[in-house]
Structure formats: structure tokens, C-alpha cells
Amino acid sequence: MKDFIVWLSCILVIGLALTFWISARHSLPKKKSLSTVLTRKEQVLHTRSGPKKVRPPAGSGSFYPADPRKLYLAVEQLLSKKPPVGIANAKVIHVPHAGYVYSGEVAAAAFRELDRNFRRVFILAANHSGDARFSGVSIPPVSHYAIPGAEIALDDVADKLLQDPLFTEKPEAHTMYMVEVELPFLHALKGRPESPDFTIVPLILGRLSQEQILQLATTLSHYADDETVFVFSVDLSHFYTAAQAERLDSQAINAVMSRDRNALAKATTDGNHVLMTMVELADLLELDATNLAYRHSGMVTGDNSKVVGYGAIAFHKPVRFEKETRAQLLQLARQTIGDYLDGKTYKEPGAELLASHPVMEIPKGVFVSLKKKGQLRGCIGELIYSGPLYKGIQRCAVKAAVNDPRFKAVSKDELEGLSLSISVLEHPRQIRVNSPDAYLKRLRPHEDGVILIHKGRRSTYLPEVWEQLPDPEQFLANLCLKQGSPASCWQAKETVIYSYRASVFGEEDGTIY
């Protein structure tokens, strides 16, 4: 009997062991096909379904180096040429797509501002192929884009989008370089892993109506998340003289920055509808814009007879100024006024200070205000300034002290008793309404600065003016009166109104706010 029990116990132990072994075997993950997922460090990339089909490089060896070592040495030198300027992790950028020798430096200015946690990138460009004539948005019939040293997988969003009639497959539209030239920058930002840890959604835009542009932007906004960024690949004017190009490109950039759809539709670029989609997306995501860089090919070649223009713009959360940066900018404004009143040539901040506070170099509009015992003593600003922020602050600080027509010039002895404040402005955006009364609902009291343009006259109030004029109708009426127009001019059909936000900081009772 005892032997039987021992024998039965052994059988049970063996049976349990076999059960656990079989269970473990069946619980092991099955080998995934290429179409399902790629994994790296426990992160999952969702890639296209179907067999592997790689698009070979089209611009390798001409637009950028074909040798991976030379390519990434060039890209990393471009990205590291300057530090990021301090905007809050850009999610949407406009970059050029010419050869790196011409536009690489401009492209790098935007790429270095991207949020580097991205794992999915939508890349949009206009159709450049004469062999592809189509309406809608084309997605390439491939699973990967190849660049020197890497193959980057398409996201499975590509398959989902093709279920929408707006999207199509036109292989001929994807034989050009506009998407491809952006990939080495993205790969470098992620540290160039052997297996790229991000996916792409390449989109080439054919003919689109305004309604389709809005539809596309809305569709893209549904995919915006913490790990997704959007790259809009567009060059500006082509083959004008340098002087003509700078004028045309300035108009295009201003149209993007101010979200002026009518002006943007008439701009001279190789992808107006791409830029219009970008502007609509930025509005949907409630992002501010910073103009980061501009140049044209003549600045490289020395030939200014026929040039191509290149711009870089980033869309992002509002810029934040750390306390130390605020203190340095206020000190710069005060020192500049003091030097001017002493008859000295005021000095720009040193390279070390600018390196420590790169946000000082972003181009932003600015107002400088002076107060004496709580009362305004001078205020001058520039709504749009194309130079570095610190230069705008220095210019406006001096003007506020000696050129405000409402006050006599500040004296040297008076300066110590004045308190300074600085308002850094986001680029003004045009407010689009169907009727003037809608302005009253669109304006955000205590948040929006407002610019009102009526029959060539222009006036503005900073956001802090809402404290004295909290009612939107009264606010607009006073803006009309400020420029010498009737109080009701804001209701006129020809009136154009822009809004902007401001980051305000200053001195109060010896402290920085």
C-alpha cells in the first residue's frame, strides 16, 4: 500500500510538471509578421500591414551625403550649431527641403526645437512630380523609407487613412525628395539607433479645396498626442532676384505667422496648401508660433540673380521665461537706458549670457513700460520684430525713456526711482468672424492684446488694459477712438482685428514677478 502511494505521488508530480511546461510553451509570443509591430526597449511601434517594400533614397548623394558617416556628421553639426531657443517642445514645424548646403542650417533651426519624445511623425509636402496629377492626399504604397544607414517604417495610420476618400495612393507622387530629406534630421534627433524607434506617415498633397484643407487638418488633429509631431516640408519663392525673394518670402512668412488665410493663398511658395493645412492644424491644437530662421540660396552661392527662399517656423505651447532670464532681461533694459542717458553706446549681452539664456535670441514683438510711483512714465513697443528679443528690448527701453510723446524724457537722476516691466508678445493672429458682433465673443478679456486696423489706421492695447476696460465692446470702442476713428469703427466691414498674447514680467518693490 505504501509503495502504491509513493508511485501515485510521483505520477501526480510528473503530471503537474508536464502541465506547467505545456502551458508555458503555449503562452510564449508567436513570431510577429513584419506588418504587426516592432519593439525596442519594450516600446511598440505600430507599422503598416502587408509585405516589406522599401522605397530607396532619391536624394542621396545629391541633396545630402550618401555615406552614413558623412551624412550624420553633417546633420549633427547643423543641429548642434546653436542650442534650442527654449520654446516648449514644438509639435508642428515648417522646414525647407533643398540640398543641405543651401537649406540645412535653416531646417536644423526648426528640428532642434522638436519634442524629442516623438515616436510618430507626419511629414507633408506638395506634389512636385509632373507624372502625378491628382486631387487629394497621396500615401506611398511602401512599408519603409530607406536613407543611408537606416530603414524607417511607415505607421499603420497610413492604412487607416486610406479608408477615407480624401486619401489615395499615387506612386509617382513619391519619387521626389521632399519627405526623404527630412528623415536624417529625425533619425539623428533620436540618437540614430540601429532600428529606428519612430514611424512616419508621408503625405503628398495634390489639388485641395479649402474644405479639403480643413478636413485634412481636422483629421491630423485627431492623431495629435504626446508622441506625435508634424513636419511640413515647403520651400518659399523660386528663382527671383534676392531683393524680390526677400520681399515675397517676408509676405509668406507673415501670412503664416498671422494665420492670414487670404494672404497665404496668394503667397509665392511651392506648397501654399501645405502651409494652409499647417496653419489650420496649429489653430486646432491652440499653438503659438515662432519664426526661427530665414535665408536664401544666394547667401550661400553669392549669386543673387535667381535664388530660392527657405524658412523655419515652430508651433508650440506659449514661451516661458524662467525667473533668472526675466531678471537678466530687466537688468539689460535698465542698463541700456542708463548707458544711453550717460551718452554711451549701449552694449549687447555677451556670448556667455546668450548661451545660458538662448530664449533671448528668438524674434518676438516687445513693449517696455516705465512707471513712477505706480503711474505710467513711458511705454513704447514693437508689435512684430524680426530681430533677436534682446535687441528689441534694448530699442524699446530707450524709446520708452526718451521718445514717448506723452511724457518728457526720463533724466538720469530719475531712472533709479522707476520700475520697469517687459511684455513679450506672441505673433498677432487675425481673428476671422462672420459678423462684427462675433468679435465680442471671440476676444478673451485679460488674456488678449488686440490690434485694430481701420482704413489704414492702426491701434493696439496690451492685455493689461482689460483691467481698465473689462467690457469687450467698450474695449474695442476705445481702440477705435485711440486711432482717431469713430467709436463704432470695429463694426465696419473693412476693419481687420488681430489678437495676441503676452508674457509680462517686471519689477515691483524690489522683486521680480
Side-chain angles (χ1 to χ4, degrees):
M1 183 67 178
K2 183 177 180 181
D3 292 340
F4 174 75
I5 292 174
V6 171
W7 175 80
L8 183 60
S9 298
C10 291
I11 293 297
L12 288 171
V13 170
I14 293 170
L16 285 171
L18 284 170
T19 299
F20 282 122
W21 181 78
I22 292 169
S23 176
R25 288 278 294 177
H26 282 280
S27 66
L28 289 173
K30 295 180 180 180
K31 184 179 180 180
K32 300 285 187 181
S33 67
L34 174 72
S35 63
T36 49
V37 296
L38 302 174
T39 60
R40 180 176 181 265
K41 295 183 179 179
E42 301 181 348
Q43 294 182 339
V44 178
L45 297 179
H46 299 274
T47 62
R48 290 198 82 172
S49 60
K52 183 174 182 178
K53 184 178 180 181
V54 180
R55 176 198 181 275
S60 175
S62 54
F63 281 75
Y64 57 84
D67 178 77
R69 185 185 63 82
K70 293 180 180 179
L71 170 61
Y72 292 106
L73 177 63
V75 169
E76 286 164 5
Q77 285 177 340
L78 289 168
L79 289 171
S80 62
K81 189 169 184 178
K82 290 184 178 180
V85 297
I87 60 180
N89 293 329
K91 293 292 186 180
V92 177
I93 61 172
H94 160 226
V95 292
H97 51 235
Y100 288 2
V101 67
Y102 301 109
S103 68
E105 187 173 329
V106 176
F111 276 114
R112 69 170 67 98
E113 302 301 329
L114 274 182
D115 181 346
R116 300 193 184 195
N117 292 323
F118 67 83
R119 297 185 58 242
R120 177 173 61 191
V121 186
F122 287 78
I123 308 175
L124 291 81
N127 176 37
H128 280 48
S129 173
D131 296 325
R133 306 288 184 182
F134 66 99
S135 298
V137 182
S138 179
I139 295 171
V142 299
S143 64
H144 292 73
Y145 263 60
I147 55 174
E151 292 179 350
I152 301 174
L154 269 67
D155 197 271
D156 65 358
V157 166
D159 295 319
K160 298 173 184 176
L161 292 176
L162 285 169
Q163 299 173 21
D164 184 329
L166 178 64
F167 297 88
T168 185
E169 283 189 348
K170 296 293 181 183
E172 299 85 2
H174 300 273
T175 58
M176 306 294 280
Y177 53 87
M178 301 84 62
V179 169
E180 174 192 329
V181 296
E182 318 302 358
L183 299 181
F185 285 100
L186 295 165
H187 193 37
L189 288 175
K190 299 295 282 184
R192 293 191 290 124
E194 184 177 345
S195 297
D197 56 357
F198 67 97
T199 55
I200 59 172
V201 186
L203 302 174
I204 298 297
L205 278 58
R207 294 180 297 275
L208 292 175
S209 66
Q210 182 59 43
E211 292 74 19
Q212 288 174 316
I213 289 172
L214 290 170
Q215 180 187 347
L216 174 58
T218 302
T219 298
L220 295 176
S221 71
H222 294 158
Y223 292 101
D225 58 35
D226 291 341
E227 295 182 333
T228 300
V229 295
F230 302 86
V231 175
F232 290 79
S233 178
V234 177
D235 285 345
L236 303 178
S237 65
H238 285 58
F239 310 132
Y240 292 88
T241 66
Q244 292 171 322
E246 289 170 9
R247 177 177 58 83
L248 293 169
D249 296 342
S250 176
Q251 292 172 354
I253 292 168
N254 286 335
V256 170
M257 296 293 292
S258 62
R259 325 289 172 99
D260 186 338
R261 277 73 168 176
N262 292 333
L264 189 51
K266 301 172 185 176
T268 305
T269 78
D270 69 7
N272 286 3
H273 55 332
V274 179
L275 296 177
M276 292 169 74
T277 304
M278 177 179 70
V279 165
E280 298 294 350
L281 176 63
D283 271 3
L284 289 169
L285 300 182
E286 299 183 342
L287 300 176
D288 290 327
T290 296
N291 181 18
L292 295 166
Y294 170 78
R295 70 189 306 176
H296 57 70
S297 57
M299 296 175 179
V300 177
T301 65
D303 180 0
N304 290 315
S305 61
K306 289 185 178 181
V307 305
V308 179
Y310 314 114
I313 298 173
F315 292 85
H316 52 85
K317 297 175 184 177
V319 174
R320 304 296 181 191
F321 293 88
E322 300 298 330
K323 184 175 182 179
E324 177 60 23
T325 303
R326 299 197 300 269
Q328 291 288 350
L329 289 172
L330 287 164
Q331 176 58 31
L332 176 66
R334 182 176 289 278
Q335 182 65 46
T336 298
I337 296 172
D339 287 345
Y340 183 86
L341 296 177
D342 282 340
K344 301 176 183 177
T345 300
Y346 54 81
K347 299 178 181 179
E348 295 185 359
E352 185 176 344
L353 180 63
L354 293 176
S356 300
H357 304 276
V359 72
M360 290 183 178
E361 296 197 79
I362 63 174
K364 292 289 182 184
V366 64
F367 274 71
V368 176
S369 300
L370 311 177
K371 287 187 177 181
K372 185 175 183 178
K373 297 180 180 180
Q375 300 299 311
L376 188 65
R377 182 64 179 83
C379 179
I380 294 288
E382 297 179 349
L383 292 167
I384 300 172
Y385 182 61
S386 59
L389 173 62
Y390 73 84
K391 286 189 176 182
I393 288 174
Q394 289 185 295
R395 285 159 52 94
C396 293
V398 170
K399 289 182 179 180
V402 300
N403 293 132
D404 190 328
R406 298 169 293 179
F407 306 95
K408 66 178 183 179
V410 170
S411 67
K412 176 66 176 179
D413 294 338
E414 192 181 7
L415 178 59
E416 186 177 350
L418 301 181
S419 61
L420 278 67
S421 66
I422 296 172
S423 299
V424 180
L425 313 182
E426 293 296 341
H427 200 285
R429 308 181 194 179
Q430 185 177 357
I431 302 176
R432 296 183 301 165
V433 295
N434 293 322
S435 67
D437 287 342
Y439 286 127
L440 305 179
K441 296 180 179 180
R442 290 288 303 277
L443 290 175
R444 296 168 295 186
H446 306 285
E447 292 185 34
D448 287 338
V450 179
I451 302 169
L452 188 149
I453 302 173
H454 176 71
K455 293 184 177 180
R457 297 179 179 180
R458 179 189 302 255
S459 55
T460 187
Y461 279 148
L462 293 171
E464 48 261 46
V465 177
W466 287 103
E467 296 177 9
Q468 288 79 46
L469 301 169
D471 176 68
E473 186 169 355
Q474 184 185 15
F475 190 95
L476 291 176
N478 275 268
L479 259 181
C480 291
L481 296 172
K482 181 181 179 182
Q483 64 178 234
S485 297
S488 61
C489 82
W490 62 273
Q491 297 175 306
K493 184 178 180 180
E494 66 270 22
T495 295
V496 180
I497 295 180
Y498 295 81
S499 67
Y500 57 88
R501 286 181 285 189
S503 178
V504 183
F505 50 92
E507 308 163 335
E508 188 171 10
D509 299 326
T511 61
I512 305 298
Y513 63 85

